[in-house]
């Protein structure tokens, strides 16, 4: 049937009527029920003024929650109605608990938790993602239709076949969800109306806050499978539409939020595992699905890795058995390797021996060199007079040279003084010239004085004229009054600023406290992860006093002269974990918690502060302290040396398997006797009788073999026979790292999240205070501008007054200067003064000339002395030359001795070079020595200490080296393939062992990941399921049946499930909801009650159920309808669509719900808007009012 274009004046289509606030039945009971509904709505205070404020609060909560793992919702409690509207309280009171206890008790009214609003609600009541408008053209039964649902419950009803379910199809396909969700025709072309070639679906969704709505149009073609999209008037892809739906959290593919008519039965057929996954997607914490997926993936990975470890261990056992068969060939290979090691050792010994021989020859040459030097010194002593005279002449030459230099310096000083006198004379001459110039300028100065007198007389006359006519100015007091009023107005702004500053300081303090709390909690979390802190926390739990003293000592180390060692529980570690049980068994009950001092002073101070007085921790502590003067000679030695104890089969003494501070070892040896306790982890490696004899010979000792601790003592009576007391080795508890308490860590994490939330609130408050501060700054700026303007005007008046005053001062100053010029001294007096100054300068110049002449004569005398000293120096040089000619033979003899000494020195140098060459060989040998194996190093050191290197010469060692090389040539090569195979398999065994260890570490990491994810997932899931279960049980209880929601756990997280347990008759037990066990009506009832319970926890912007009430009896249908209206019409409820072909009479309705009537028949009006029920009602009301007005 053809339709005209839609009219924009009407929001209703010709096939539906909306906006009904009450049922159409004009009965008194209905009117009373409507009045009660209105009064209830008024009591809930849901009015237009409160809606914006509530929406802002919701937005703030949504913003403050962020992206954290724990979306802790603010929940309240509200009471249910005391009795149902149908007036059947007896049914509500029926107890549904049978003898087997299959149901929960229903004696009290359950408390319903308020659902957390996850999306901000706009002023029109819609949340982002809600459907604002739907328009269809040539879609299934519709030629054209447009309707606008409400933001809460939308009840769509009409006869069968009118197109109610077509609306669900349009929503699904228009938002790009697959047709499979509808369980109807798979091709989009099948949804175009018969006899039509094309059509479209247009849906308008509410946009996010501050953004425009999303108008999505999908075009359908009869002859094409493609269905392109338009988004807000532009072309868009299906991926873009899907992405927008994901952003708005639209979940049409989830049966828990979108249940079409043809898939109602599928809900009951859903496996419990599928129900769990779909419930997680629809409600609760938004991370539930991600956590569950992590657990499923990690669980599969864990099983896979465990299977790999089992297979690798089997392979490792096989490879070790095969390698054991090749050990004989490997031994032959090792014998050849032993010869190669001997050759390597000899190659080190030969260069070292050559170095020793070269060093010995060097020692022989050294005395000859010393003898030659001694002979040289003897000759020098015999000819000492000649040498002494030569030295005396040299000294005399130096003295004469020094005298000449001194006279030269004195002469230079005289010349400098003469130059200074000359400069002083030049200065006096310059001053005399200046005075002469002044005398010449006196006439010009007199003319200038007369001109200045005339100038000052003119200036005085002008100033007097200005003073006689002062300028007009503003009233200074009026300007001051205006400034005072402006300042009073600014005082209020300053007061606001002071209050703001107090708020800002308080905000800063809050911010600082939040940051400190966050830092402290973060440090506590970090400390939980450290092994040392774990041990300390375990110690504090076991021994509070001991733990607190440790913390006190760490903060007060400066009070003690030497270090106080903490208990061995904290500062002793066992690097090799396999020995930790044996090491801990060596300690007594209190030795692991004993504080050890290193000096008597610290020991007394520690006891005084911690044990005898409460000065340290506020109370007297009960701790163990220890000190003993360190005397190694009094320490009982071990039963036998370490080498011998290893020969018996022991791994070593207990002291060898620990790491601890060096000073603590005195306590461990003296008191704990770790140096006397041998340990052997392998029981088969030690002969028990030999171990017993060892302990008995030592006078008694403790030793550990395998998992048995043996304590051997000697009897005090008779023959003093040895006695052995044994006990089983217990697993270590104290030295092992403590584990983290998950509850403590969760509590710290919760406190950290709370502190971060408070910090965000403080930062938001800081932003608000900043806005107020900007307003105050703007007010200050306006005040400053007005104040500056008034000040400028006031300053102009003051400046004018000052200028007037300055004119008066200027007048007085000019008069004073004029009087001074008029009363100046005569010129003749100043002329006589200048002439007198010239005479004084001339006298000074005469004195300078006299001093200059005296200095010149002194300089001449110094020149004479310098010349005389130079002549004496030449005479001494001549005497020295004559002495050298007379003593020529003695000089030659000394030179010959020096030459011989030099020759021996050269020989010495050659041997020294030989020594250096030997040293070089020694360095090469040392380099080889560093590269050899540690076994060869130890062998070489033993030979060197025993003196074996000196028993043979270098040639003998060289011969032995050649002999070993020949033996190596004679030794047959072992099959390299066998050795390579052995080594390769050995490497593979090591690699496989490492792989197994890595897999085991990976297993630990995966288990840790699983624990972390489960700690997050399971509480949130239980919280969600408990909330849904309470509402589900309460709903069943109201209709006289019983129902529960349970979580079914399993080792495989993919098999975790939600079981819906129901019973509809008293004699039954709770049974699992399946697609076969219950009837269709029972399945429908269970489905709608579960979806209704889920609605309050849902995160989706809208939900839809289609003809879910089919098969219910009237009692159940009425109860379900009334509960659904109550749940979906709350102020914080989301959009909900309920499609039904029929309605019972006398149902409850709410002002927030909207009824959409779908009508169809043989005749429909062509004009759009004609037949609109709301228009008819409004017209009727208007006509009635007009008649009333006319009658009055």
């Amino acid at each position: 049937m053809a339709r005209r274009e839609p009219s924009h004046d009407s929001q209703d289509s010709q096939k539906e009527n909306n906006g009904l606030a009450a049922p159409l039945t004009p009965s008194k009971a209905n009117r009373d029920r409507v009045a009660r509904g209105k009064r209830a709505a008024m009591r809930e205070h849901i009015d237009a003024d409160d809606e914006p404020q509530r929406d802002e609060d919701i937005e703030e909560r949504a913003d403050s929650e962020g992206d954290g793992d724990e979306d802790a919702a603010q929940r309240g409690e509200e009471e249910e109605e005391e009795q149902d509207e149908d007036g059947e309280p007896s049914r509500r009171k029926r107890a549904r608990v049978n003898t087997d206890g299959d149901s929960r008790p229903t004696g009290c009214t359950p408390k319903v938790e308020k659902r957390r609003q996850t999306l901000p609600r706009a002023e029109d009541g819609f949340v982002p993602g809600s459907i604002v408008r739907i328009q269809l053209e040539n879609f299934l039964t519709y030629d054209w239709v447009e309707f606008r649902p409400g933001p809460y419950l939308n009840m769509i009803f009409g006869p069968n076949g009118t197109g109610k379910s077509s609306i669900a199809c349009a929503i699904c396909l228009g938002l790009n969800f697959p047709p499979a969700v509808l369980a109807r025709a798979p091709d989009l072309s099948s949804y175009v109306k018969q006899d039509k070639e094309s059509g479209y679906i247009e849906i308008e969704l509410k946009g996010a806050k501050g953004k425009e709505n999303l108008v999505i149009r999908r075009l359908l073609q009869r002859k094409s499978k493609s269905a392109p999209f338009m988004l807000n008037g532009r072309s868009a892809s299906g991926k873009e539409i899907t992405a927008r739906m994901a952003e708005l959290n639209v979940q049409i593919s989830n049966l828990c939020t979108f249940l079409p008519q043809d898939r109602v039965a599928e809900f009951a057929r859903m496996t419990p595992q599928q129900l769990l996954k779909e419930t997680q997607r629809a409600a609760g914490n938004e991370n539930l699905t991600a956590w569950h997926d992590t657990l499923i993936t990690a669980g599969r990975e864990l099983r896979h890795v465990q299977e790999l470890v089992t297979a690798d261990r089997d392979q490792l056992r096989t490879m070790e058995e095969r390698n054991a068969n090749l050990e004989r060939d490997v031994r032959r290979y090792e014998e050849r390797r032993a010869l190669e090691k001997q050759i390597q050792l000899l190659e080190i010994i030969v260069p070292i021996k050559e170095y020793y021989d070269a060093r010995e020859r060097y020692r022989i040459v050294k005395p000859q060199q010393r003898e030659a030097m001694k002979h040289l010194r003897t000759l020098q002593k015999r000819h000492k007079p000649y040498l002494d005279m030569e030295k005396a002449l040299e000294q005399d030459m130096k003295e004469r040279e020094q005298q000449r230099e001194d006279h030269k310096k004195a002469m230079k000083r005289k010349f400098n003084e003469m130059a200074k006198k000359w400069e002083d004379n030049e200065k006096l001459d310059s001053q005399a010239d200046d005075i002469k110039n002044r005398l010449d300028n006196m006439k010009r100065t007199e003319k200038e004085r007369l001109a200045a007198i005339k100038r000052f007389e003119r200036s005085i006359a002008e100033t007097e004229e200005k003073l006689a006519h002062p300028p007009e100015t503003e009233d200074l007091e009026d300007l001051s009054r205006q400034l005072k009023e402006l300042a009073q107005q600014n005082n209020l702004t300053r007061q606001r600023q002071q209050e703001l500053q107090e708020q800002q300081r308080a905000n800063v303090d809050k911010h600082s406290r939040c940051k400190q709390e966050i830092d402290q909690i973060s440090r506590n979390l970090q400390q939980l992860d450290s092994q040392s802190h774990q041990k300390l926390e375990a110690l504090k739990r076991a021994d509070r006093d001991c733990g607190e003293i440790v913390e006190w000592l760490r903060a007060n180390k400066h009070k003690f002269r030497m270090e106080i060692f903490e208990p061995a529980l904290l500062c002793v570690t066992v690097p090799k974990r396999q020995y930790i049980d044996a090491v801990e068994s060596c300690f007594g009950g209190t030795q692991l918690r004993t504080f050890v001092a290193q000096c008597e002073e610290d020991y007394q101070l520690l006891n005084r502060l911690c044990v005898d007085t409460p000065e340290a921790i506020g109370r007297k502590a009960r701790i163990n302290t220890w000190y003993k003067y360190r005397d190694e000679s009094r320490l009982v030695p071990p039963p036998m040396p370490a080498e011998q104890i290893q020969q018996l089969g022991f791994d070593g003494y207990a002291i060898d398997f620990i790491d601890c501070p060096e000073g603590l070892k005195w306590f461990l040896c003296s008191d704990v006797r770790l140096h006397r306790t041998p340990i052997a982890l392998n029981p088969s490696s030690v002969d028990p009788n030999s171990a017993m004899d060892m302990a008995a010979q030592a006078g008694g000792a403790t030793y550990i073999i395998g998992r048995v601790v043996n304590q051997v003592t000697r009897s005090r009576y008779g023959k003093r026979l040895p006695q052995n007391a044994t006990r089983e080795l217990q697993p270590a508890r104290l030295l092992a790292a403590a584990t983290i308490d998950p509850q403590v860590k969760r509590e710290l994490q919760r406190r950290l999240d709370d502190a971060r939330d408070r910090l965000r609130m403080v930062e938001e408050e800081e932003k608000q205070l900043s806005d107020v501060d900007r307003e105050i700054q703007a007010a200050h700026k306006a005040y400053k501008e007005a104040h500056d303007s008034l000040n400028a005007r006031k300053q102009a008046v003051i400046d004018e007054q000052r200028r007037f005053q300055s004119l008066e001062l200027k007048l007085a100053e000019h008069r004073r200067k004029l009087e001074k010029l008029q009363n100046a001294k005569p010129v003749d007096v100043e002329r006589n003064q200048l002439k007198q100054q010239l005479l004084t300068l001339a006298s000074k110049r005469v004195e300078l000339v006299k001093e200059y002449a005296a200095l010149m004569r002194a300089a001449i005398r110094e020149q004479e002395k310098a010349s005389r000293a130079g002549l004496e120096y030449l005479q001494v040089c001549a005497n020295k030359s004559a002495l050298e000619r007379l003593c020529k033979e003695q000089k030659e003899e000394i030179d010959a001795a020096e030459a011989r000494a030099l020759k021996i020195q050269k020989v010495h140098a050659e041997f020294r070079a030989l020594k250096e060459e030997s040293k070089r060989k020694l360095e090469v040998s040392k380099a080889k020595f560093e590269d050899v194996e540690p076994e060869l190093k130890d062998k070489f050191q033993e030979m060197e200490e025993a003196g074996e290197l000196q028993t043979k010469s270098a040639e003998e060692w060289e011969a032995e080296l050649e002999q070993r090389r020949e033996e190596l040539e004679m030794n047959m090569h072992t099959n390299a393939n066998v050795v390579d195979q052995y080594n390769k398999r050995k490497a593979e065994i090591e690699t496989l062992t490492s792989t197994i260890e890595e897999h085991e570490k990976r297993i630990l990491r995966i288990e840790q990941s699983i624990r972390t994810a489960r700690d997050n997932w399971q509480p949130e899931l239980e919280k969600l399921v408990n909330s849904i279960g309470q509402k589900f049980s309460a709903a069943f209880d109201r209709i006289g049946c019983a129902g529960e929601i349970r979580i079914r756990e399993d080792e495989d997280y993919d098999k975790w499930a939600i079981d819906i347990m129901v019973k509809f008759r008293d004699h039954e037990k709770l049974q699992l909801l399946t697609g076969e066990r219950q009837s269709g009506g029972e399945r429908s009832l269970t489905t709608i009650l579960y979806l209704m319970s889920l609605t309050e926890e849902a995160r989706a912007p809208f939900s839809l159920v289609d003809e879910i009430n089919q098969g219910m009896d009237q009692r159940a249908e009425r109860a379900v309808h009334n509960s659904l209206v109550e749940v979906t019409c709350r102020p914080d409820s989301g959009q909900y669509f309920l499609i039904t072909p029929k309605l019972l009479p006398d149902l409850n309705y709410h002002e927030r719900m909207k009824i959409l009537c779908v009508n169809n028949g043989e005749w429909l009006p062509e004009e759009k808007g004609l037949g609109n029920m709301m228009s008819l009602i409004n017209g009727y009301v208007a006509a009635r009012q007009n008649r009333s007005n006319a009658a009055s």
Side-chain angles (χ1 to χ4, degrees), residues 319-331:
M319 294 172 67
E320 289 175 345
E321 292 173 356
R322 291 179 179 178
N323 246 22
N325 299 328
L326 300 178
E327 289 184 356
R328 182 182 303 172
D329 294 336
V330 173
R331 276 198 297 271

Side-chain angles (χ1 to χ4, degrees), residues 245-257:
M245 296 304 101
E247 291 176 1
L248 295 173
N249 200 25
V250 176
Q251 299 184 22
I252 290 180
S253 59
N254 190 346
L255 289 180
C256 293
T257 58

Side-chain angles (χ1 to χ4, degrees), residues 183-411:
R184 299 181 76 168
D187 297 329
L188 293 176
S189 59
S190 303
Y191 293 86
V192 180
K193 188 175 182 180
Q194 294 293 335
D195 302 328
K196 301 294 182 181
E197 294 300 322
S198 64
Y200 67 82
I201 305 168
E202 186 174 286
I203 300 176
E204 182 178 354
L205 299 181
K206 183 66 178 178
K209 185 176 181 181
K211 297 182 179 180
E212 62 179 355
N213 291 351
L214 274 67
V215 179
I216 302 171
R217 172 175 287 199
R218 190 171 195 181
L219 305 177
L220 304 176
Q221 301 290 333
R222 168 72 65 181
K223 298 180 179 180
S224 176
K225 293 184 179 180
S226 63
F229 285 93
M230 301 287 290
L231 177 61
N232 291 339
R234 61 176 179 82
S235 179
S237 64
K239 291 183 178 179
E240 184 177 358
I241 301 300
T242 302
R244 291 298 187 94
M245 296 304 101
E247 291 176 1
L248 295 173
N249 200 25
V250 176
Q251 299 184 22
I252 290 180
S253 59
N254 190 346
L255 289 180
C256 293
T257 58
F258 191 91
L259 189 61
Q261 176 182 358
D262 297 319
R263 299 192 67 187
V264 172
E266 290 184 24
F267 185 91
R269 295 194 193 98
M270 288 174 61
T271 65
Q273 291 80 14
Q274 292 174 337
L275 180 61
L276 171 65
K277 294 177 181 178
E278 297 297 334
T279 302
Q280 289 179 155
R281 289 178 54 205
N285 192 305
E286 60 186 1
N287 296 316
L288 279 172
T289 300
W291 287 332
H292 193 193
D293 293 340
T294 300
L295 289 172
I296 293 172
T297 304
R300 292 172 182 169
E301 184 180 3
L302 179 62
R303 290 191 295 273
H304 174 67
V305 176
Q306 288 173 342
E307 291 172 359
L308 290 178
V309 170
T310 302
D312 289 342
R313 284 176 176 165
D314 294 338
Q315 184 181 359
L316 178 63
R317 191 180 306 107
T318 302
M319 294 172 67
E320 289 175 345
E321 292 173 356
R322 291 179 179 178
N323 246 22
N325 299 328
L326 300 178
E327 289 184 356
R328 182 182 303 172
D329 294 336
V330 173
R331 276 198 297 271
R332 286 198 297 268
Y333 175 78
E334 290 175 351
E335 291 174 358
R336 180 177 178 82
R337 287 289 298 156
L339 281 174
E340 292 175 350
K341 289 180 181 180
Q342 290 180 7
I343 293 173
Q344 291 179 356
L345 180 62
L346 291 172
E347 287 176 348
I348 295 172
I349 293 174
V350 169
I352 294 176
K353 185 59 179 175
E354 290 177 354
Y355 165 75
Y356 288 161
D357 293 344
R359 187 178 62 180
E360 185 64 27
R361 290 195 295 271
Y362 174 80
R363 289 176 180 172
I364 295 173
V365 176
K366 185 67 176 178
Q368 297 176 1
Q369 186 260 347
R370 291 177 179 172
E371 183 65 27
M373 294 303 296
K374 181 178 179 182
H375 176 66
L376 177 60
R377 287 192 290 271
T378 301
L379 290 177
Q380 290 175 347
K381 183 177 181 181
R382 183 187 308 165
H383 302 295
K384 187 174 183 300
Y386 154 71
L387 297 174
D388 291 342
M389 185 178 293
E390 186 180 21
K391 289 181 180 179
L393 290 174
E394 289 179 353
Q395 182 64 28
D396 197 7
M397 288 171 60
K398 292 180 181 178
E399 292 175 355
R400 301 300 179 187
E401 179 67 17
Q402 184 63 38
Q403 290 176 3
R404 186 176 65 174
E405 292 297 326
D406 292 341
H407 290 308
K408 286 182 178 180
K409 291 178 181 179
M411 182 176 62

Side-chain angles (χ1 to χ4, degrees), residues 99 205 346 358 366 693 701 746 859 949 954 1155:
T99 56
L205 299 181
L346 291 172
K366 185 67 176 178
D693 294 338
R746 282 197 297 271
L949 298 181
I1155 300 176

Side-chain angles (χ1 to χ4, degrees), residues 1002-1017:
R1002 185 179 174 190
I1003 289 173
L1004 294 176
R1005 289 195 298 270
I1006 296 173
E1007 290 174 347
Q1008 178 62 32
S1009 174
I1010 291 175
R1011 283 194 298 271
T1012 303
R1014 181 165 180 171
D1015 290 341
N1016 291 325
W1017 175 67

Side-chain angles (χ1 to χ4, degrees), residues 666-697:
W666 170 242
F667 164 75
L668 299 178
C669 295
S670 177
D671 194 74
V672 188
R673 305 293 181 90
L674 293 185
H675 71 300
R676 289 178 51 82
T677 306
I679 297 175
L681 296 182
N682 187 3
S684 61
S685 64
V686 181
D687 182 13
N689 295 328
S690 301
M692 183 73 176
D693 294 338
M694 175 271 298
Q697 291 174 5

Side-chain angles (χ1 to χ4, degrees), residues 1162-1175:
E1162 298 180 356
W1163 180 88
L1164 289 174
E1166 294 292 334
E1167 295 181 8
K1168 293 180 174 59
L1170 185 64
N1172 187 301
M1173 186 168 291
M1174 284 304 300
S1175 300

